């Protein structure tokens, strides 16, 4: 792969970066100040045949247009909302992602967030650390997780893994997708408002597309209601964030646990003081084991491309 010029958009993983540097000709985009990046890309365009991006910085239309020799975008993520897929199709540029290897970790986090929210694990941790237990007495009662009805938006790889875990907690599962998954035994709703009205915990696990941007809007939040909670392990823009903040502030929604946000790394400050909110910084796939496996998949896809072999996880 020594001849392959690879543009790495973001310092996403030390192992991936060192392997790319060892095996290819690596261009590190973030080392150039933002105002000079276009110039950096222009001056190296003749050598760049691949882009490795992630969920923060992928391959937008301008970057693709500036790279006439681009052959492949290999994303260090399963979600491809930061890659202009139409443009890639138009130009015959191949696109790969990292499905499956991260599924179990993201599903673990979805369950962890739900339990942390309902049982107030983060709040009670702070209660103990602050010394409040000794001065104020026992913490008030919380809400049970086992047996709660789980509604999943997007019953794909991650959605199914969340469902399997929740089943083990005795939770009835229902879901909303564009198509019914007949062999799952889970209850299908063809209307998201109906799903939200009929579940306690609504978990977002679909890809971010034009159709799913703000799929969780004011109506969905109100359908979920003061006894319902929202868990988002999909992408931030799935949720209309100002509406979410308003619903929590006004007590129209029972709580929220979020891994992803509309404008990462910025999180609405109003959420910081709310006890019925759990906030983590987009860590769904962020374990050593999974990130190594994702890196290997990126490298294997690039290698297959260079050797003219079938790509391991092609999307385009
Ligand atoms: P997947 O296997 O492709 O599953 C996606 C599911 O979403 C499919 O079942 C699909 O079913 C459904 N879907 C697609 N469009 C929809 C729509 N318009 N309305 C409702 N449902 C829709 O993908 P995955 O591997 O489970 O990953 C899902 C997403 O999780 C990724 O795209 C990524 O954005 C996110 N993710 C987040 C993290 C994190 O760190 N928080 C990590 C990994 C992934 P139908 O075709 O029947 O609609």
């Amino acid at each position: 792969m020594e001849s392959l010029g690879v543009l790495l958009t973001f310092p996403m993983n030390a192992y991936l970066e060192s392997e790319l540097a060892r095996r290819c000709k690596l261009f590190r985009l973030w080392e150039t100040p933002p105002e000079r990046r276009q110039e950096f890309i222009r001056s190296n365009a003749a050598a760049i045949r691949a882009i490795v991006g992630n969920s923060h910085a992928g391959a937008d239309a301008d970057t693709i247009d500036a790279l006439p020799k681009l052959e492949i975008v290999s994303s260090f993520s399963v979600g491809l909302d930061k890659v202009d897929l139409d443009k890639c199709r138009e130009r015959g540029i191949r696109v790969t992602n990292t499905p499956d290897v991260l599924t179990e970790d993201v599903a673990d986090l979805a369950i962890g967030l739900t339990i942390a929210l309902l049982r107030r694990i983060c709040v009670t941790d702070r209660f103990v650390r602050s010394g409040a237990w000794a001065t104020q007495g026992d913490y008030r009662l919380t809400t049970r997780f086992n047996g709660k009805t789980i509604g999943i938006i997007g019953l794909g790889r991650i959605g199914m893994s969340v469902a399997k875990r929740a089943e083990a907690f005795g939770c009835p599962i229902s879901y909303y997708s564009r198509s019914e998954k007949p062999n799952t035994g889970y209850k299908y709703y063809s209307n998201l408002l109906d799903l939200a009205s009929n579940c306690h915990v609504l978990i977002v696990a679909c890809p971010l597309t034009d159709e799913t941007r703000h799929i969780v809007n004011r109506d969905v939040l109100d359908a979920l209601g003061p006894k319902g909670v929202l868990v988002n392990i999909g992408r931030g823009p799935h949720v209309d964030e100002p509406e979410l903040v308003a619903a929590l502030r006004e007590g129209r929604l029972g709580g929220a646990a979020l891994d992803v946000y509309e404008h990462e790394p910025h999180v609405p400050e109003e959420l910081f003081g709310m006890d019925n909110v759990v906030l983590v910084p987009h860590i769904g796939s962020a374990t050593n084991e999974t990130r190594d496996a994702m890196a290997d998949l990126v490298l294997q896809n690039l290698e297959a491309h260079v050797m003219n072999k079938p790509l391991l996880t092609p999307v385009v």
Side-chain angles (χ1 to χ4, degrees):
M1 287 211 286
E2 308 84 56
S3 66
L4 187 73
V6 178
L7 180 71
L8 189 62
T9 58
F10 206 75
M12 53 199 80
N13 178 271
Y15 163 64
L16 174 63
E17 191 179 330
S18 70
E19 283 303 301
L20 286 171
R22 192 173 67 79
R23 302 191 205 181
C24 318
K25 186 166 168 34
L26 185 60
F27 298 91
R28 295 173 172 88
L29 183 62
W30 70 94
E31 287 184 348
T32 301
E35 67 281 4
R36 288 184 24 225
R37 285 188 190 158
Q38 274 187 342
E39 172 52 30
F40 174 82
I41 288 173
R42 230 188 339 264
S43 55
N44 294 297
I48 295 172
R49 290 165 53 206
I51 294 180
V52 172
N54 68 355
S55 58
H56 302 295
D60 60 18
D62 288 347
T63 309
I64 295 169
D65 279 341
L67 294 170
K69 304 279 189 215
L70 188 63
E71 297 165 14
I72 182 166
V73 176
S74 186
S75 190
F76 185 69
S77 67
V78 67
L80 289 168
D81 43 284
K82 291 280 165 56
V83 178
D84 192 323
L85 295 175
D86 289 339
K87 184 75 119 182
C88 289
R89 282 190 197 99
E90 211 176 275
R91 284 259 316 265
I93 295 165
R94 305 300 310 272
V95 179
T96 64
N97 63 349
T98 59
D100 299 316
V101 293
L102 46 64
T103 297
E104 307 302 329
D105 278 356
V106 184
D108 284 355
L109 185 71
I111 298 297
L113 284 173
T114 308
I115 297 176
L117 175 60
L118 294 178
R119 298 299 307 271
R120 299 289 191 259
I121 291 176
C122 305
V123 182
T124 52
D125 174 271
R126 292 195 292 271
F127 185 76
V128 172
R129 288 171 198 250
S130 68
W133 191 15
T135 56
Q136 295 175 24
D138 287 347
Y139 191 78
R140 64 182 174 78
L141 301 184
T142 62
T143 303
R144 169 189 293 176
F145 169 58
N146 59 83
K148 288 283 181 291
T149 303
I150 308 296
I152 298 172
I153 306 180
L155 197 69
R157 289 172 289 246
I158 295 171
M160 273 299 292
S161 291
V162 172
K164 282 192 196 133
R165 283 160 172 72
E167 261 191 301
F169 285 87
C171 300
I173 311 294
S174 44
Y175 67 100
Y176 165 77
S177 282
R178 292 168 303 183
S179 59
E180 188 168 1
K181 319 288 173 207
N183 300 321
T184 59
Y186 302 143
K187 186 169 173 47
Y188 175 61
Y189 287 92
S190 58
N191 182 311
L192 178 52
L193 284 180
D194 290 342
L195 175 71
S197 306
N198 287 287
C199 68
H200 293 111
V201 181
L202 183 65
I203 301 182
V204 188
C206 59
L208 178 63
T209 62
D210 289 344
E211 269 178 24
T212 63
R213 192 172 294 275
H214 285 193
I215 193 168
V216 178
N217 57 21
R218 186 183 177 102
D219 291 344
V220 172
L221 295 170
D222 283 344
L224 197 51
K227 290 197 182 316
V229 299
L230 175 74
V231 177
N232 190 4
I233 46 89
R235 287 284 184 263
H238 282 134
V239 178
D240 185 330
E241 219 163 59
E243 285 294 350
L244 173 66
V245 171
L248 289 164
R249 197 179 49 226
E250 293 159 20
R252 287 184 284 112
L253 180 68
L258 308 172
D259 181 39
V260 287
Y261 308 86
E262 263 204 283
H263 306 288
E264 294 175 9
H266 303 290
V267 178
E269 277 187 34
E270 281 166 284
L271 298 178
F272 294 174
M274 295 181 182
D275 280 357
N276 56 344
V277 169
V278 175
L279 306 169
V280 294
H282 200 152
I283 54 167
S285 66
T287 65
N288 287 314
E289 296 89 339
T290 284
R291 288 290 167 87
D292 282 356
M294 290 165 66
D296 283 334
L297 205 41
V298 168
L299 294 162
Q300 287 160 6
N301 274 306
L302 291 175
E303 219 155 54
H305 174 74
V306 167
M307 294 172 79
N308 233 349
K309 288 188 174 165
L311 301 176
L312 281 85
T313 50
V315 178
V316 175

